[in-house]
Amino acid sequence: MSWTDERIEKLTKMWEGGSTASQIAEELGGVSRNAVIGKAHRLGLKARPSPVKANDKTADRAEAAPAPAKAAKPAPEPAAPRAAPAAPAPRAAAPTAPTPAAPAPRAAAPAAAVPAGDAPAAAPQPRIVSVGPGGFLRQGPGDQQAPIPPAPPRRLVPAKPSPEIADKTSLLDLNDRICRWPMGHPGEADFHFCGEKVNPGFPYCVEHCGRAFQAQLPRGHRRPPPPLPFGGPRVR
DNA sequence: CCCTGATTCGC
DNA sequence: GCGAATCAGG
């Protein structure tokens, strides 16, 4: 697969929307998670909370002697790696949380680059109450402007499996007082459980206890095994 | 182990 | 430019 404009667009959209690289890769199809990340970086749209990049400890005091015991590898010159990434904003450590780029007062275009080095004026920033999942900003009820990155498009799942089993005993309905004898095949839409009142002391109702527990007959008098509750192993 | 994103580097 | 391999934190 190649990176067509459409695919790039989708990647960009999902990436900025907060989808994980895996989700994006799955959605696009034909590409791996790594491919998505690599492409995203090449496109210049990086910058999302990375689980591994949270490092930012101020150097600490009372910590001198212990040997670093690190860098078992090449450890080349710290400077001059590869293509010098135009480090845009080496701004001093901001005391506040690293919230997403403050919405520009004018052009609301979510530009990837934030070269604005020094903006002394405190722009009419919306009052940020909290940061929701995906990094979008919650605002106070009085604030007008809608949150610009709207809720990230997460994958949706149906609230209910299907109306067919709505009145049937599902896995979640099981307790130790109702018969858990399976009806149908697991994985199928109408799979459910017996749901009858249990035979006290047993996990099944009286009827299914009769199926589950059978007297051991003397050798030579065994009957062929009863049909398995699931109808036997299924072949896919 | 699983997940995540970041980085490297041969192609 | 691409992406597998690798790294490293959660």
Side-chain angles (χ1 to χ4, degrees):
Chain A
M1 285 300 245
S2 60
W3 287 107
T4 64
D5 287 1
E6 296 174 7
R7 289 164 66 78
I8 290 179
E9 185 183 352
K10 192 164 191 172
L11 159 61
T12 305
K13 211 170 178 178
M14 291 184 71
W15 183 272
E16 291 178 347
S19 301
T20 67
S22 298
Q23 289 174 320
I24 299 172
E26 187 185 351
E27 184 70 25
L28 289 174
V31 287
S32 68
R33 178 183 73 93
N34 277 329
V36 168
I37 294 175
K39 183 59 180 175
H41 286 188
R42 263 171 260 124
L43 285 173
L45 40 81
K46 146 166 88 283
R48 261 201 306 156
S50 161
V52 72
K53 255 297 174 61
N55 277 338
D56 215 48
K57 286 290 187 252
T58 8
D60 47 33
R61 15 195 104 248
E63 186 88 339
K70 227 184 216 166
K73 271 280 150 93
E77 279 302 320
R82 287 200 151 250
R91 52 177 50 172
T96 49
T99 51
R106 265 274 117 82
V114 191
D118 22 22
Q125 249 177 332
R127 189 163 52 88
I128 299 166
V129 174
S130 65
V131 178
F136 69 90
L137 306 180
R138 298 181 195 276
Q139 298 175 321
D143 297 317
Q144 293 293 337
Q145 186 183 19
I148 354 208
R154 289 274 158 186
R155 184 149 302 195
L156 301 179
V157 296
K160 305 220 162 152
S162 93
E164 301 176 274
I165 67 169
D167 56 338
K168 299 203 172 75
T169 304
S170 82
L171 181 62
L172 297 178
D173 300 324
L174 289 181
N175 61 46
D176 50 11
R177 257 163 277 106
I178 65 178
C179 177
R180 53 190 65 214
W181 191 268
M183 313 287 278
H185 302 291
E188 289 182 357
D190 64 339
F191 175 68
H192 61 286
F193 296 92
C194 168
E196 269 293 355
K197 218 181 76 172
V198 94
N199 184 14
F202 294 92
Y204 307 119
C205 65
V206 177
E207 176 194 341
H208 287 133
C209 271
R211 294 247 252 150
F213 306 105
Q214 304 198 2
Q216 174 72 69
L217 296 175
R219 287 183 181 278
H221 297 261
R222 303 233 176 122
R223 306 196 312 181
L228 294 174
F230 306 103
R234 309 185 68 215
V235 184
R236 279 190 199 272

